[in-house]
Amino acid sequence: MTNNNNSRESAGLARRFKKSALLLAVMASCNGAYAQDQQNEQESDLEVIEVRGIRASMAENLAIKRLSNSIVDAITAEDIGKFPDKNVADSLQRVPGVVISRSGGEGENVSIRGLSSDLTLTQLNGNFIASSPGSPSRSFSYSLLPSTMVQSVEVFKSSEARLDEGGVGGTVILNSRTPLDMDANSGAFNVEYTYADVTKEYEPNFSGVYSWKNEDENVGFLLGYTKQDRTNRSLTGDMSGGGGWRWATGSEQPATDVNGNEITDSTRRFGALEDAYGNSYDGVWAPQVAGVGITEEKRERVGVQATMQWRPTDNLELTFNHFHFELGQDRTTSQLMIPEWKYNPDYLTGVILDETGSIVTGMDFTSGAGGSEGNLEFPWIIGSYTKEKDTSDTYDFAFEYAGDVFDLKGKFGRTKASGGPSESFNAAYKSGQPGSRSDSGKNENAASFAGWRLGERVSLYADPALLANLQAGIAGDPDPGSTGSSFIVSDLKEDYGQLDLDYHVAYGIVDTLRVGVKHRKASLHRETNNTFFITQDGADRIASGELDPFSQGAIDEVAYQWIGGMPNLEDVLNNESEQNIAGGFEVNTMPSINWQQYRDIVTNEYVKYTRREPDFVFDIEEKITAAYLQADFSFGDFRGNVGVRYVETQTQIMSSDKINYFLDDINDATGEDILGDERLVDVETTTLRTVKDDRFLPSLNLVWEASDSLVIRAAAAKTMSRAPFNDLGAPEQLTFISQEWADDRLEFRGNPVDQGWSGSGGNKALQPFESVQLDLSAEYYYGTGSAVGIALFNKDVDNFIVPLIITSERPFDGFTNPFTGVEIVPAGDITVTPFTTTANGTNATSRGIELFAQHAFDNGFGINANYTLNDTNQADVSVDGEKVGESALVGSADDQFNFSAYFEDDNYSVRTSYNRRGKMALGLADGLTVSQEPYQQVDLNASYSVMENLVLSASVINLTKEESRTFYGDDSKARLRSSSYSGRRYYAGLTYRF
């Protein structure tokens, strides 16, 4: 770390470090050396000291924490281009109270102190970063951000008036490097390879940072570039397909589950289960679909940073930044599923129950269980192909003027992101078929038996002859009803401008008065697209206007899957069953589709046509104006700040809503599929709503330097976070199932559905999250880079948002089929059940305790440990003022424990890290609460200095090959939702610093 010798920086340091004893303590902890004599501090130049290594980095983290007037944790880079982990989110998980979610084994989202990642505000250099991975989110996707772009990270757990609102959980500020703070012609280049046990591939990663400034140190530029190629392969056992678990009962009356809770929603119930031996299983939970899957994702990450700085005078500094992040993803998913189609005595030969006798943990099926060979139709072979690119660009211009008694800062910029697939489709085949390709005319099965079991993971088995039979053309019936396309794309943009004035009054106890204003204008567009492969004639008719591309019935008449155009399964199967099943599930045979080959066959015969849907669209525009006043104070051994922030938000939301009328599925006389508008009719509407909200957000932070080593902190604040985009804007979709459709699905497809209304939609009236939070902590700094501490926190959260399923009663004008003149639904009140939506909860509490200890031994060893215990209550959930249930705070984890031990000397360093997250509440899915079991992970890092500026490094991530598991409900772990394994990964590389 280099401290430049100029009057501007010296003045700033003098103001910040008012107490020279504290300055000396910080310099000692960060650099291992003292500055010059205390009495000459403001008159002499600071010594230039270079900091490297784990110990120095951890000491600097402690120094930032100690000096802060708020409750802050920090992570700093150990050196240029060297962050503690491969991903910034992975580093943040080692901060007390921080929990991360992963995608493909990489940290992706960050939550703080038991609250959802949507309530964590992530900023780059103090401003919002737009990220839009398809489905829009206020939560930043850390998978976009290369860690080499980051110099340090600050995690604010208590609020200040000067900080942007939005972080009820906390605020994470990512600080990038700047050229005037680095040596001229300095930088680093890193080349690294990674290997994973789930892919068995070696893949490269390159990163480079170069910084220059002139001899006068008033002009500089910095360039950074990262390119990473990586294959992620996730192995998942999946019991969530088709709607999750259902209650099997023969009774027409509402049932109760094992805990006595009433199950009134008919879509959550099967009929009673009965096997081939006459055994009946009434009143048990069973999954609608049991399956296993492999997702393989080719990722290409690119990051670019360009920063220019100019200091025309000692008092004025100008900075321009451009950040470009890009994540390309080519993704395929292959699944083998056993659905509920054959839950009947003709096929079901065995049912295994858990110890309570109420949860099915295994099923066996045989094609001839009913006395003669029947059409088993599974395992069901399904999968998807997706090509996607997500980009994020930020441009900003900042100025800083340091006067004798005031500092004036300004920043103006734009951040924008776009993301989502450019093409995505899925296809399905059955391992049986009605009719036969043979001369016998009987039903043929590629598998004569199959089944599944639940334990620590999903185990699925099938006839070992399955793949050979499919390759020989036996069975493999295309499933056009499960073949299609739908994907989400979005664009997010925000323009911002802010001015901040710090007036160093030094009057009484007040050291600095801070005042500022900020205006932000954000716009989001989210839409749904579909990829169709259609005939050339169909494409020509669309081009000429003869065929309406928005008529699903018209598209079905030219779409390949509905006119017999799906490739023969034997032509697209991979030659071997899926190999290298290192975790996540167990399977004896797993045929899968070569999706590139499938696509090549289809595109050789049909024309690719992507339709931008007029429905499933929403637009959100937010205009946010904020102003704050904050006073930084000190008296005696006390210091801190007090202030208030005023925020005014105007939100305009537009959504395209839709009603689907499912009329008639199959011609009863011929048994053929009905196509066009006689099959289904869609009716579209548009809803527009404007909502205004204004709030005052006070905050207080108080620090007591009780002794040279002991720091006591107290904080109180009111904070807010705006509702997630999807919850606000999600279009409403209602579905009406006619009795004719329900009868056809049961008789011809063996797939029972309920006649009547169901639906889903967002809630434009959602209020912002609001929290009143209190913090109390004590930190004892007893040596260089060594400290222990304890923190207590309490957050009372109102307006928290949870998903829920309700019954919605509403008036309806009636509907007459415009093509036939037949009245489908008469006018009057209708009952929509289930209706899936979101609502505000009240009286939620998240409280807990954090403990940390960090010690650096004189012999090069060191440890860092922390533990967080979090307790959240069951809070009320209300709709239209009426309580409809209770819910835990989504994203909350019971506890978190981190432990790191390291050793380093002048030439090498070794570190091992253990991270454990307790049980986590994930909210509602498929009508049931979902939780994730505790997860733990061990990582190893090592480096060796081959020569002065050349370092060899190696890492092992997820050494113990841990798997992630989720469950439905809180009463049992037998109701497994998913088990997933993303691999153990190895890294090795060289870094050259100059």
Side-chain angles (χ1 to χ4, degrees):
M1 180 174 67
T2 301
N3 296 306
N4 298 310
N5 304 326
N6 58 67
S7 59
R8 178 176 175 273
E9 292 185 347
S10 297
L13 282 171
R15 284 197 298 265
R16 182 176 181 187
F17 301 115
K18 186 174 181 180
K19 296 172 68 176
S20 58
L22 181 59
L23 170 62
L24 294 177
V26 173
M27 295 301 294
S29 65
C30 289
N31 301 324
Y34 285 91
Q36 293 184 343
D37 185 75
Q38 175 179 335
Q39 278 71 26
N40 298 323
E41 172 208 351
Q42 296 185 20
E43 301 174 6
S44 62
D45 294 331
L46 292 173
E47 182 182 357
V48 177
I49 300 174
E50 188 174 16
V51 180
R52 286 189 176 183
I54 298 173
R55 178 172 178 166
S57 177
M58 294 178 66
E60 187 174 353
N61 298 345
L62 274 186
I64 294 173
K65 181 181 182 74
R66 179 171 183 174
L67 285 173
S68 173
N69 281 342
S70 309
I71 298 177
V72 173
D73 283 284
I75 305 171
T76 54
E78 299 169 22
D79 210 332
I80 300 172
K82 185 182 180 186
F83 219 71
D85 293 276
K86 302 304 175 185
N87 179 294
V88 176
D90 292 334
S91 294
L92 284 169
Q93 73 176 330
R94 311 193 195 288
V95 170
V98 172
V99 173
I100 70 171
S101 62
R102 290 179 171 85
S103 173
E106 286 188 271
E108 185 168 41
N109 299 120
V110 170
S111 61
I112 301 174
R113 286 183 167 176
L115 298 179
S116 165
S117 61
D118 277 327
L119 303 183
T120 298
L121 176 64
T122 298
Q123 296 185 315
L124 180 61
N125 297 325
N127 286 282
F128 172 72
I129 326 168
S131 66
S132 182
S135 184
S137 172
R138 294 190 191 273
S139 176
F140 177 69
S141 176
Y142 282 79
S143 60
L144 273 174
L145 180 66
S147 60
T148 52
M149 300 289 176
V150 178
Q151 169 66 36
S152 64
V153 183
E154 297 170 286
V155 181
F156 283 82
K157 297 177 181 177
S158 68
S159 185
E160 295 186 32
R162 66 184 177 89
L163 297 177
D164 282 0
E165 73 288 344
V168 163
T171 298
V172 178
I173 299 180
L174 310 171
N175 298 303
S176 65
R177 303 178 187 278
T178 53
L180 294 185
D181 290 333
M182 297 175 63
D183 290 334
N185 297 308
S186 64
F189 294 105
N190 171 264
V191 177
E192 187 173 60
Y193 271 81
T194 180
Y195 172 86
D197 62 344
V198 289
T199 62
K200 297 189 180 298
E201 294 186 21
Y202 295 90
E203 296 173 303
N205 174 60
F206 170 80
S207 61
V209 178
Y210 173 73
S211 182
W212 173 89
K213 61 185 176 184
N214 63 357
E215 292 184 0
D216 294 333
E217 299 190 357
N218 59 12
V219 176
F221 68 83
L222 180 148
L223 296 175
Y225 178 79
T226 294
K227 185 178 187 300
Q228 180 193 78
D229 293 321
R230 175 168 171 175
T231 300
N232 289 333
R233 188 168 180 260
S234 297
L235 313 173
T236 304
D238 184 10
M239 309 297 285
S240 66
W245 288 67
R246 294 187 178 186
W247 186 257
T249 176
S251 172
E252 294 299 325
Q253 300 300 316
T256 58
D257 65 17
V258 68
N259 293 321
N261 300 314
E262 187 174 308
I263 303 171
T264 58
D265 176 7
S266 62
T267 65
R268 296 238 50 80
R269 293 190 284 131
F270 287 121
L273 292 177
E274 185 176 346
D275 65 22
Y277 309 108
N279 300 310
S280 180
Y281 304 91
D282 191 17
V284 297
W285 284 101
Q288 187 168 357
V289 178
V292 298
I294 296 177
T295 299
E296 186 163 302
E297 185 180 62
K298 297 285 188 181
R299 284 190 175 187
E300 183 179 278
R301 178 188 285 116
V302 174
V304 178
Q305 176 188 356
T307 299
M308 297 182 63
Q309 285 188 296
W310 179 33
R311 192 175 292 153
T313 70
D314 288 342
N315 301 93
L316 179 62
E317 183 175 279
L318 309 177
T319 304
F320 171 79
N321 285 305
H322 174 218
F323 297 94
H324 173 78
F325 307 130
E326 183 178 301
L327 181 63
Q329 304 171 77
D330 289 346
R331 183 169 55 250
T332 62
T333 299
S334 298
Q335 295 175 286
L336 200 64
M337 314 290 277
I338 297 180
E340 93 298 343
W341 301 329
K342 306 301 180 181
Y343 285 10
N344 63 66
D346 289 339
Y347 302 94
L348 187 58
T349 56
V351 175
I352 301 172
L353 301 175
D354 75 332
E355 58 186 13
T356 69
S358 65
I359 298 175
V360 177
T361 59
M363 284 185 170
D364 300 311
F365 304 88
T366 304
S367 62
S372 60
E373 184 179 2
N375 181 24
L376 190 60
E377 292 190 301
F378 57 61
W380 195 25
I381 300 171
I382 64 177
S384 62
Y385 170 94
T386 301
K387 189 175 185 64
E388 179 175 346
K389 179 179 287 188
D390 305 325
T391 62
S392 174
D393 285 276
T394 297
Y395 305 86
D396 66 55
F397 169 75
F399 71 85
E400 296 184 28
Y401 180 82
D404 293 334
V405 295
F406 70 90
D407 294 333
L408 179 64
K409 301 178 183 179
K411 182 170 285 189
F412 308 90
R414 165 175 289 185
T415 180
K416 60 180 182 179
S418 61
S422 57
E423 178 181 321
S424 182
F425 64 86
N426 56 278
Y429 292 84
K430 298 176 181 177
S431 297
Q433 63 185 63
S436 169
R437 299 181 188 180
S438 68
D439 295 331
S440 65
K442 69 177 182 178
N443 291 329
E444 285 195 359
N445 294 283
S448 60
F449 59 88
W452 55 267
R453 298 285 187 274
L454 295 184
E456 287 295 307
R457 55 171 68 126
V458 177
S459 297
L460 189 148
Y461 74 89
D463 188 337
L466 172 62
L467 178 58
N469 286 337
L470 291 173
Q471 289 173 334
I474 298 173
D477 185 34
D479 184 1
S482 301
T483 298
S485 168
S486 180
F487 54 91
I488 296 170
V489 297
S490 62
D491 295 283
L492 177 62
K493 179 179 70 175
E494 179 176 293
D495 295 322
Y496 55 86
Q498 70 180 80
L499 289 173
D500 301 276
L501 176 66
D502 295 346
Y503 180 52
H504 308 288
V505 293
Y507 181 77
I509 67 171
V510 178
D511 299 324
T512 302
L513 280 177
R514 303 178 188 269
V515 62
V517 294
K518 187 167 189 175
H519 182 72
R520 301 158 57 189
K521 181 179 179 182
S523 59
L524 167 70
H525 174 75
R526 182 266 198 199
E527 65 182 46
T528 300
N529 291 348
N530 268 296
T531 300
F532 297 101
F533 298 105
I534 60 177
T535 63
Q536 182 63 59
D537 175 67
D540 294 340
R541 290 166 60 195
I542 290 175
S544 67
E546 179 183 350
L547 189 151
D548 181 5
F550 297 108
S551 168
Q552 189 60 48
I555 286 288
D556 286 348
E557 292 176 358
V558 296
Y560 81 111
Q561 70 267 37
W562 292 109
I563 58 175
M566 291 181 66
N568 292 329
L569 181 56
E570 62 265 30
D571 294 335
V572 293
L573 280 173
N574 285 310
N575 293 329
E576 295 182 348
S577 173
E578 286 287 339
Q579 304 295 312
N580 190 24
I581 310 300
F585 64 87
E586 297 171 344
V587 65
N588 70 321
T589 181
M590 187 176 176
S592 61
I593 293 171
N594 183 323
W595 288 106
Q596 188 60 56
Q597 186 172 330
Y598 181 102
R599 185 184 184 279
D600 290 342
I601 291 175
V602 172
T603 54
N604 283 338
E605 296 291 331
Y606 298 93
V607 177
K608 176 186 170 184
Y609 172 71
T610 298
R611 185 175 73 189
R612 177 180 178 272
E613 299 295 343
D615 50 0
F616 303 112
V617 174
F618 66 82
D619 290 281
I620 296 178
E621 182 177 276
E622 286 182 341
K623 295 180 180 178
I624 304 166
T625 301
Y628 71 87
L629 175 64
Q630 177 176 312
D632 293 0
F633 58 81
S634 63
F635 57 95
D637 295 322
F638 292 88
R639 56 187 168 88
N641 56 66
V642 62
V644 63
R645 188 177 187 89
Y646 171 75
V647 184
E648 182 180 276
T649 307
Q650 178 175 298
T651 307
Q652 181 175 283
I653 309 167
M654 185 284 294
S655 67
S656 60
D657 300 338
K658 183 177 181 180
I659 303 177
N660 303 302
Y661 297 92
F662 287 83
L663 305 177
D664 201 351
D665 189 24
I666 294 176
N667 187 308
D668 296 342
T670 65
E672 296 179 351
D673 292 335
I674 294 177
L675 303 177
D677 297 312
E678 295 180 3
R679 183 171 187 264
L680 62 90
V681 174
D682 299 334
V683 177
E684 298 163 5
T685 61
T686 298
T687 303
L688 179 66
R689 180 165 183 169
T690 300
V691 180
K692 292 184 178 180
D693 181 83
D694 58 88
R695 294 172 190 265
F696 286 95
L697 306 173
S699 62
L700 169 66
N701 289 276
L702 181 63
V703 183
W704 176 30
E705 297 280 349
S707 71
D708 289 342
S709 302
L710 181 62
V711 179
I712 307 295
R713 301 177 188 273
K718 186 175 184 180
T719 61
M720 64 168 284
S721 292
R722 295 172 182 86
F725 293 126
N726 279 327
D727 292 341
L728 285 171
E732 181 173 279
Q733 178 173 337
L734 299 182
T735 297
F736 176 76
I737 302 291
S738 70
Q739 189 62 57
E740 180 66 28
W741 180 279
D743 292 343
D744 287 348
R745 298 296 286 186
L746 179 62
E747 179 180 355
F748 293 100
R749 303 194 188 277
N751 182 20
V753 296
D754 293 318
Q755 186 275 335
W757 289 95
S758 61
S760 63
N763 184 348
K764 297 177 178 59
L766 287 173
Q767 294 291 309
F769 293 79
E770 193 172 79
S771 171
V772 175
Q773 56 190 54
L774 302 173
D775 297 89
L776 181 65
S777 68
E779 303 149 13
Y780 183 70
Y781 300 87
Y782 60 87
T784 302
S786 299
V788 294
I790 182 172
L792 304 175
F793 62 89
N794 185 90
K795 294 177 184 284
D796 293 326
V797 184
D798 266 342
N799 301 331
F800 75 94
I801 297 168
V802 293
L804 72 160
I805 296 177
I806 61 174
T807 296
S808 175
E809 304 281 351
R810 60 182 68 188
F812 188 68
D813 292 336
F815 175 71
T816 298
N817 190 330
F819 302 97
T820 64
V822 176
E823 184 181 62
I824 305 301
V825 182
D829 292 340
I830 62 172
T831 300
V832 182
T833 182
F835 185 77
T836 304
T837 186
T838 55
N840 287 119
T842 59
N843 303 320
T845 301
S846 174
R847 59 171 61 99
I849 182 172
E850 293 176 354
L851 305 170
F852 84 88
Q854 181 174 312
H855 184 79
F857 297 93
D858 293 335
N859 58 3
F861 284 95
I863 60 170
N864 182 22
N866 60 73
Y867 176 75
T868 303
L869 178 66
N870 186 60
D871 178 42
T872 60
N873 70 325
Q874 290 288 116
D876 296 340
V877 180
S878 301
V879 176
D880 296 331
E882 181 180 350
K883 180 179 175 180
V884 296
E886 297 181 347
S887 173
L889 286 170
V890 176
S892 60
D894 291 343
D895 59 4
Q896 174 105 359
F897 175 68
N898 297 291
F899 178 81
S900 296
Y902 67 87
F903 173 79
E904 67 176 355
D905 63 13
D906 292 338
N907 294 319
Y908 64 89
S909 67
V910 179
R911 180 181 60 193
T912 180
S913 302
Y914 171 78
N915 169 263
R916 183 189 184 277
R917 174 201 38 78
K919 181 181 177 183
M920 178 184 286
L922 300 182
L924 191 73
D926 306 317
L928 295 169
T929 58
V930 178
S931 61
Q932 188 172 46
E933 77 168 2
Y935 179 85
Q936 58 188 9
Q937 185 166 305
V938 176
D939 303 329
L940 298 176
N941 307 85
S943 66
Y944 174 71
S945 296
V946 180
M947 55 183 65
E948 182 179 0
N949 294 326
L950 185 64
V951 176
L952 172 66
S953 60
S955 304
V956 182
I957 307 300
N958 194 12
L959 175 68
T960 51
K961 303 176 67 172
E962 300 296 332
E963 299 182 20
S964 175
R965 278 175 280 271
T966 62
F967 300 90
Y968 286 110
D970 294 323
D971 57 303
S972 174
K973 283 190 175 182
R975 204 182 295 107
L976 184 69
R977 184 172 190 257
S978 67
S979 54
S980 179
Y981 179 63
S982 297
R984 175 199 287 170
R985 191 170 289 272
Y986 304 84
Y987 294 86
L990 285 171
T991 301
Y992 177 71
R993 302 184 181 94
F994 55 93

